[in-house]
Amino acid sequence: MSTYADPYASSRETTEGTVFSVTGGDWDSLVTEIGQAKEERVVVNMGPQHPSTHGVLRLVLELEGETVTEVRCGIGYLHTGIEKNIEFRNWTQATTFVTRMDYLAPLFNEAAYCLGVEKLLGITNDVPEKANVIRVMMMEFNRISSHMVALGTGALELGALSPMIFCFREREKVLDIFEFISGLRMNMAYIRPGGVAQDLPAGAVDKILATVKDLRHSFKDNEKLLVGNSIWMKRTEGIGYLDLAGATTLGVTGPVIRATGLPLDLRKIQPYSGYENYKFDVVTADTCDVYGRFLIRINELEQSLRIIEQCAEKLKSLDGAPVMVADKKIAWPAQLSIGADGMGNSLNHIREIMGTSMESLIHHFKLVTEGFRVPVGQVYSAIESPRGELGAHVVSDGGTRPYRVHFREPSFNNLQSTSAMCEGSMVADIIGAVASIDPVMGGVDR
Amino acid sequence: MSDDQKGMFGTEGTGDTSGYGGLVPSPANAGSTERPYGGYFDQVTDDLERAYPDFSDAIERVVVDRGELTLHIKRERLVEVSLILRDRLKFEMSMGVSGVHYPEDTNRELHAVYHLLSITNNQRIRLEVSVADTDPHIPSLVEVWGGSNWNERETFDMFGIIFDGHPGLTRILMPDDWQGHPQRKDYALGGIGVEYKGAVIPPPSDRRTYK
């Protein structure tokens, strides 16, 4: 027990322990005290429960009047121990965990992890073409849905309500596609080591193309609302400035570094999953500010649509092609299918293992309970998530469980730049700066 | 790797009875790779040797595995080599630090792994520093790559590696008064068993493991 005497909570010792009587302060004495202070330095806690900090982010602001002199981020409020938990699950089960880290970009988490596991297994080139095309298509749809939230909530935080309504409407269309293909709208665990969980349902390509057409049309609404809007530009131009030198030293990636004019996009410079086969442009801006990052996100939507169209074109000729590696020692045996109640085991598969083939049952049991082994080693696989470089450092000890998986989360690294962007600015500009980083706390804290 | 892993149904070896698992033990974690390393790795190591004459003393092992280059480096030389990598070899960005705990690797239990990216040359390399559990000190790289700040705090939080010279090495993900470092292998996962129709399903850390 400390001997510190709190003027507003006197205490006395009883047989039950110390009892405090909280009396509260006297406003008059408080105001007089502040009036006597020489400087106007105020420390304000913004968050962790605050509508404009993108989830449970806590910002400790030191203010002098309206000017922010120091910003410190408090994170960890959404730490879930996913990296620790997957050390106790087999390699395939881990996809179910990692998909929940950055909950706005679940397919990217799965892809980074699975590409790492495939690299360790040495089967990167054995992943069937159709699986790669589906992965790319799903990731680009996911980029759209993630950017929709970034733009919608970003605008909402700066006081513009309509863009949020439009953005969430478009996002809903993308989530419908996810539900149609994987059975789930979020946290799909759809990308698995070796391929994807199941083939596209009948009529998928037509539905995808129809959605692309629909989205392209409705993105114009958002553009008209915000691009060139003078109120919006006053809140975003020249705000949250971070130049190339600052971005590289702080390890900032994604739209924030592309807004400094550097076309750093891993899809182009270090392609994975066959991105080298698609035509698209890397969008950059040279303003280093919130408006530039906003424009990049707006323009990346069109590039994602272009990639999805090319995917749909490829998928037309890949009907019935495999979506999992041929090695039955790795491929998940339960052929999943979407029934009336969502994704589940295919009834044909259940019939086979329970009714006709003892060997199939043994194989299924071994692979599902025990899992496959991954050779000893460590790899780092990086992909371009909507927020920047998402890297998975995957270490195996040769067992059926990951020995250690560490995620290099773009939100985590990008959030570090908050201080560099905001110190010296107005309080109101912090909101815009943080929104332009687009941190997702599930990813930051993991 | 871990001795406490239990085999399945009393089998020895991998327990793979089918014989077509196709996995052969990989020597990835032992020894140095012989030249030529292939790709740009020879170029990078040559450039580093030219720019840093003490190369052979500072770099304990050079490992090339699955198309990735890892330089195992002595901790006393980490900052010097990092500065040369940044300024002369153009590795402008450090993508972060991840810790790995190998309790069986006596006197080198804690590993810190740095992933570097060169934007100019479009190259990636990895630095790995290993220290003993009893002396978990590694010099901080915040002065070299400012972005290492939070990454080192995370690695300290999760593994207890102390980064000397860090401007404010405090916990970042766990609460400030937390005991222990959760990602270490000697830190239990925790959890409780769940009863279902008379049988108890044990928590994940107590379930059967396979070799």
Side-chain angles (χ1 to χ4, degrees):
Chain A
M1 211 67 239
S2 72
T3 51
Y4 170 72
D6 191 319
Y8 303 119
S10 57
S11 62
R12 63 197 158 84
E13 296 300 322
T14 68
T15 48
E16 312 267 295
T18 316
V19 170
F20 293 92
S21 324
V22 182
T23 53
D26 178 12
W27 279 109
D28 287 337
S29 65
L30 206 66
V31 169
T32 331
E33 208 176 298
I34 290 173
Q36 283 166 348
K38 288 217 171 63
E39 47 179 332
E40 274 190 67
R41 202 173 63 102
V42 183
V43 179
V44 175
N45 249 316
M46 201 169 120
Q49 306 295 336
H50 190 276
S52 63
T53 54
H54 259 70
V56 280
L57 169 63
R58 175 179 168 214
L59 295 167
V60 184
L61 314 176
E62 220 175 280
L63 309 174
E64 256 182 55
E66 268 289 294
T67 309
V68 182
T69 53
E70 202 181 322
V71 184
R72 270 168 292 156
C73 295
I75 62 170
Y77 295 94
L78 211 54
H79 179 58
T80 45
I82 282 174
E83 289 173 2
K84 178 83 176 176
N85 266 287
I86 60 180
E87 291 170 14
F88 295 89
R89 304 299 200 289
N90 69 36
W91 290 93
T92 307
Q93 284 174 321
T95 49
T96 315
F97 281 76
V98 301
T99 190
R100 282 160 172 79
M101 296 187 313
D102 179 345
Y103 43 78
L104 292 183
L107 288 153
F108 290 92
N109 302 331
E110 297 163 20
Y113 167 76
C114 291
L115 289 170
V117 177
E118 284 158 10
K119 209 168 179 184
L120 275 173
L121 284 164
I123 58 164
T124 308
N125 295 327
D126 299 336
V127 177
E129 194 201 346
K130 189 171 186 186
N132 275 331
V133 176
I134 296 177
R135 283 180 180 183
V136 168
M137 183 193 74
M138 293 292 268
M139 281 195 278
E140 291 309 318
F141 265 127
N142 202 171
R143 193 183 310 277
I144 292 174
S145 72
S146 173
H147 278 357
M148 281 289 119
V149 176
L151 295 168
T153 57
L156 180 69
E157 285 158 13
L158 290 180
L161 188 65
S162 320
M164 191 274 280
I165 309 241
F166 284 128
C167 286
F168 273 74
R169 184 189 65 187
E170 307 334 330
R171 174 173 181 257
E172 205 63 20
K173 293 171 189 164
V174 177
L175 297 189
D176 283 347
I177 288 279
F178 288 159
E179 188 175 5
F180 179 64
I181 291 174
S182 73
L184 293 161
R185 289 153 52 85
M186 290 173 78
N187 306 331
M188 306 87 168
Y190 180 65
I191 298 175
R192 302 278 175 89
V196 297
Q198 76 234 349
D199 204 349
L200 296 177
V205 175
D206 292 337
K207 198 175 159 105
I208 288 159
L209 286 172
T211 307
V212 168
K213 200 177 159 199
D214 188 9
L215 287 173
R216 183 169 280 140
H217 178 73
S218 27
F219 285 161
K220 293 203 180 97
D221 294 343
N222 280 313
E223 276 189 58
K224 279 184 199 153
L225 268 175
L226 292 175
V227 178
N229 176 331
S230 59
I231 303 174
W232 178 250
M233 289 172 79
K234 274 188 180 149
R235 289 297 308 273
T236 55
E237 267 191 320
I239 305 298
Y241 187 89
L242 187 73
D243 61 9
L244 182 59
T248 43
T249 188
L250 289 172
V252 171
T253 46
V256 182
I257 201 169
R258 288 199 285 278
T260 67
L262 182 77
L264 179 69
D265 189 326
L266 298 179
R267 293 179 291 173
K268 272 279 190 242
I269 63 167
Q270 294 170 358
Y272 49 90
S273 296
Y275 263 111
E276 62 274 23
N277 304 323
Y278 299 89
K279 285 196 185 72
F280 65 100
D281 302 324
V282 177
V283 184
T284 56
D286 55 5
T287 53
C288 306
D289 62 0
V290 175
Y291 190 65
R293 291 163 209 150
F294 154 75
L295 280 184
I296 286 176
R297 291 204 175 89
I298 285 271
N299 292 323
E300 277 184 356
L301 298 173
E302 171 55 28
Q303 300 305 321
S304 291
L305 289 179
R306 271 178 74 188
I307 298 173
I308 294 168
E309 281 175 331
Q310 295 170 53
C311 291
E313 206 51 49
K314 284 176 200 277
L315 285 171
K316 279 180 186 166
S317 60
L318 287 168
D319 206 22
V323 293
M324 232 328 152
V325 284
D327 188 351
K328 289 289 178 202
K329 282 285 161 190
I330 291 165
W332 193 247
Q335 295 307 307
L336 300 176
S337 67
I338 300 171
D341 55 349
M343 183 163 69
N345 284 337
S346 135
L347 289 178
N348 284 332
H349 179 70
I350 302 288
R351 206 168 290 131
E352 188 197 339
I353 62 172
M354 299 308 285
T356 55
S357 171
M358 170 69 100
E359 288 74 19
S360 289
L361 178 66
I362 295 170
H363 177 73
H364 180 115
F365 177 76
K366 287 262 287 179
L367 209 51
V368 172
T369 59
E370 182 182 343
F372 52 80
R373 281 173 193 79
V374 171
V376 182
Q378 60 174 341
V379 295
Y380 179 77
S381 69
I383 63 170
E384 186 72 26
S385 95
R387 276 159 274 284
E389 174 171 328
L390 172 64
H393 178 221
V394 188
V395 186
S396 172
D397 67 342
T400 57
R401 295 167 167 185
Y403 189 72
R404 161 92 171 119
V405 183
H406 178 257
F407 284 90
R408 188 267 176 207
E409 255 292 332
S411 302
F412 182 81
N413 278 263
N414 292 1
L415 198 58
Q416 269 190 96
S417 62
T418 315
S419 313
M421 282 184 191
C422 299
E423 285 175 4
S425 71
M426 301 278 120
V427 184
D429 296 339
I430 291 177
I431 313 287
V434 171
S436 75
I437 298 173
D438 186 26
V440 173
M441 299 314 289
V444 174
D445 297 340
R446 288 159 311 209
Chain B
M1 191 167 277
S2 315
D3 290 333
D4 56 342
Q5 287 184 345
K6 292 170 192 66
M8 179 195 186
F9 312 128
T11 53
E12 291 299 315
T14 64
D16 178 15
T17 45
S18 68
Y20 71 104
L23 295 185
V24 282
S26 154
N29 257 11
S32 227
T33 310
E34 295 296 317
R35 277 173 182 272
Y37 304 133
Y40 55 80
F41 300 148
D42 293 287
Q43 175 79 34
V44 169
T45 37
D46 285 347
D47 287 352
L48 183 60
E49 264 188 282
R50 260 196 298 278
Y52 188 73
D54 281 349
F55 181 88
S56 54
D57 185 45
I59 310 290
E60 297 167 324
R61 288 196 285 146
V62 180
V63 177
V64 176
D65 180 39
R66 296 175 174 90
E68 294 180 10
L69 172 70
T70 311
L71 301 176
H72 291 259
I73 184 169
K74 283 185 186 159
R75 67 173 167 193
E76 308 82 62
R77 309 298 190 107
L78 179 65
V79 178
E80 294 163 34
V81 173
S82 298
L83 276 170
I84 287 174
L85 283 171
R86 185 192 70 181
D87 296 337
R88 305 277 288 278
L89 274 75
K90 303 287 175 213
F91 283 93
E92 298 96 346
M93 286 178 103
S94 165
M95 283 311 182
V97 188
S98 40
V100 190
H101 186 207
Y102 297 99
E104 278 76 36
D105 199 358
T106 315
N107 285 330
R108 311 167 63 90
E109 289 92 352
L110 293 166
H111 292 222
V113 186
Y114 301 81
H115 312 278
L116 308 184
L117 170 70
S118 164
I119 303 170
T120 311
N121 301 322
N122 194 18
Q123 293 169 341
R124 280 182 196 278
I125 62 166
R126 190 157 51 214
L127 300 179
E128 191 163 338
V129 185
S130 359
V131 291
D133 239 351
T134 46
D135 178 27
H137 290 267
I138 292 178
S140 166
L141 289 183
V142 175
E143 290 294 311
V144 186
W145 292 287
S148 304
N149 190 324
W150 281 21
N151 291 300
E152 288 179 355
R153 281 176 65 191
E154 186 193 340
T155 309
F156 161 72
D157 194 355
M158 292 295 150
F159 290 91
I161 297 176
I162 296 162
F163 291 92
D164 296 321
H166 189 286
L169 194 67
T170 52
R171 287 190 183 271
I172 187 164
L173 296 178
M174 304 304 286
D176 291 342
D177 55 354
W178 196 261
Q179 299 285 318
H181 300 283
Q183 285 281 2
R184 294 169 56 97
K185 290 287 173 188
D186 50 17
Y187 186 100
L189 178 67
I192 52 165
V194 178
E195 194 190 320
Y196 182 70
K197 294 195 174 176
V200 176
I201 296 147
S205 51
D206 296 345
R207 289 178 200 160
R208 182 173 52 199
T209 59
Y210 303 90
K211 260 183 191 169

